[in-house]
Amino acid sequence: MNARDAMKKIRNIGIIAHIDAGKTTTTERILFYTGRNYKMGEVHEGTATMDWMIQEQERGITITSAATKCHWLDCDINIIDTPGHVDFTAEVERSLRVLDGAVVVFCGVAGVQPQSETVWRQADKYGVPRLAFINKMDRVGACFKRSVQQIKERLRARPVPVNIPIGAEDRFRGHIDLVEMQACLWPADGDDDLGATFERGPIPAELQAEAQEARDFLLETLSAYNDEILEKYLEDQPIEAAVIRQTLRDATIKGKIVPVLAGAAFKNKGVQALLDAIAWYLPSPLDVPPVQGHHPKTQALIERTPDPQGPFTALVFKIATDPHVGKLVYIRVYSGTMKTGGQIFNVGRGSKERLGRLLQMHANQRQEIDKIQAGDIVAVVGLKKVATGDTLTDEDHPILLEAIRFPDTVISVAIEAANQAELAKLSQVLNALMEEDPTFRATIDEETGQTIISGMGELHLEVIVDRITRDFGVKATVGRPQVAYKEGIRAAARGEARHVKQTGGHGQYGHVIVQVEPLPRGKGFEFVDATKGNDIPRPFIKAIEQGARDALNDGVLAGYPVVDVKVTLLGGSSHEVDSSDLAFRIAAFEAVKDALLKASPVLLEPYMKVEIETPEQYMGDIIGNMQARRGKVVQVEMRNDIRIIDCQAPLSDMFGYSTQLRSLSQGRACFTMEVLHYDEVPDSVSEKILGGFGFRKPTPQAAAG
């Protein structure tokens, strides 16, 4: 088999879902049925292969994405099992950036949950074709049709069942294959071989009508994409399974439909059909569009097709620190072939390095390989100057792929080493963790000298601190969580500044007049040059824009970054000898600061989208508690006997909420939380926050005075 034919048999997929929908359990079954694992691991027992970190085993959740490879229906399947908790959403983001397809797992009881919507949007962003697996069909309250309807309504997708369940809850026995029109039944005593064998047979008489209705819907949908199916369906002629599968595959890869399957991974039912669907319907590297990038110098658009004979091109999507082999750099190869010891060029950094050992990963286990080629997802040992999002290529054919973008951190804590020796160790560990996790930040506060670590949520920082103290053995203490506030403005205002400095030879001269005005929330920064004539020579405009950006890095209230501001350059003056980039950058910095003081500056705080699932009897207490936390209830929905409360609440008032929610509901309610937007802090709260910093809110009069 030549290299290109081999690529047709590769499937690079991710397993994505809301927390606790059953991603890792599904992956464990996949590894067992494909023969990759001889024993089935369980999340609740802490024995899941893919949850190998001690923190994952203790908490029973996935924290870091884990990669593995298995074989099914003559296909090599590279799988990345991703976290479901919103604090670790960056792991999903970077995995989807390099994957060709995804399996989205839904809970058959809860259906589409908040994080299901988040991961679906991420998959839309990268144009990733996907399958839907309605899991937990054996649970009380499971409903396949309701879950399919929610995928259609909430995710605005076009779900098409390719099998439907036989029974539900404790009567769930298997499924009906709508392509072959056969029933797949697991024996009642199937625990002997852990669901590895099942029987195919005729559809039970009582389910014939339902199966035919579902089959008609499948064929009607596919007839829009294949004239042969349309013709045969209208004439009531038999349609070959191969034609149906090929059309399903084409429509799925184009993102027109989402094939839906039913199962119960924990009860070992339906996973083999999911594996078949991965091989049949999800794309190979040859089926996805060529990867696009830019030439680092000319900025010309370049496309790289997935060709093993083409120029080597790979993207670094993850870095992990392994105690045995050091830094592991995970890469997705888009084009070309490279052997161990081959030289690669890091385009963004302009540096050359040699590939050390090449490893095929199976969670935290490693298998050495001697070469990599287009379509592969592997780990590399031996690269030193490299970061997440870097492009690795052949030096003669450089291309810069689009880097992976990550959200800003919203929560911080101070961390302090026990002594001077531990401080040096802490510094090394923090640098290693920042390399691993792009949503983790460590900085030193210039005023207090404290080390501040920032992340995406309480759980994120809790896990980071646990790794620092336990995995890396650093003795350190941690302060209380702090919110990552920002600053904004309420009004438009003008500012002016001259930077004049006379020294022996050439002096410095820059004179800038600007106007600042608020932008709608979430719009960021905008710079407009409105100067006319030759007041300020063109070459200095870029320096003025940079000075404006510098001024917004730390605000006039409490030194937080200023967001959602438009800066317009109105005018100024220059000196033909003394003007320079530096002089105009400093003048712009001072002018923008001057304008910000007059523009009614205001403190902004992150507001969270909170969704609470609770039995009805606790709803009153939970809503009352949410209102006491400055939260606003947006809507209340009923699903079965559970109430879903959608709220918006400031992050600063949500610390410790999980503990309080447990006590309010006797442990029966649960919640999810993700960043919604930044909004103004009420004056009464703002006074307390700014008072803690020793700041008083400036007034335009005081600023002018």
Side-chain angles (χ1 to χ4, degrees), residues 9 85 88 173 237 277 279 288 311 367 415 438 579 583 653 696:
K9 300 292 185 181
H85 197 286
F88 308 106
R173 296 181 293 141
Q237 293 179 11
V288 294
Q367 177 189 339
I415 187 166
S579 285
D653 287 53
R696 291 183 67 83

Side-chain angles (χ1 to χ4, degrees), residues 493-495 593-601 698-705:
R494 282 191 176 205
K593 288 285 189 195
D594 177 41
L596 290 174
L597 279 165
K598 303 170 188 171
S600 298
T699 61
Q701 292 79 6

Side-chain angles (χ1 to χ4, degrees), residues 88-133:
F88 308 106
T89 189
E91 289 286 335
V92 184
E93 184 84 17
R94 61 180 170 190
S95 300
L96 285 171
R97 171 71 173 80
V98 298
L99 291 169
D100 302 325
V103 174
V104 190
V105 181
F106 297 92
C107 171
V109 181
V112 175
Q113 295 168 279
Q115 192 64 6
S116 313
E117 297 181 45
T118 303
V119 297
W120 196 273
R121 283 197 303 270
Q122 288 172 309
D124 280 341
K125 176 178 167 184
Y126 294 115
V128 177
R130 64 216 84 149
L131 303 174
F133 181 59

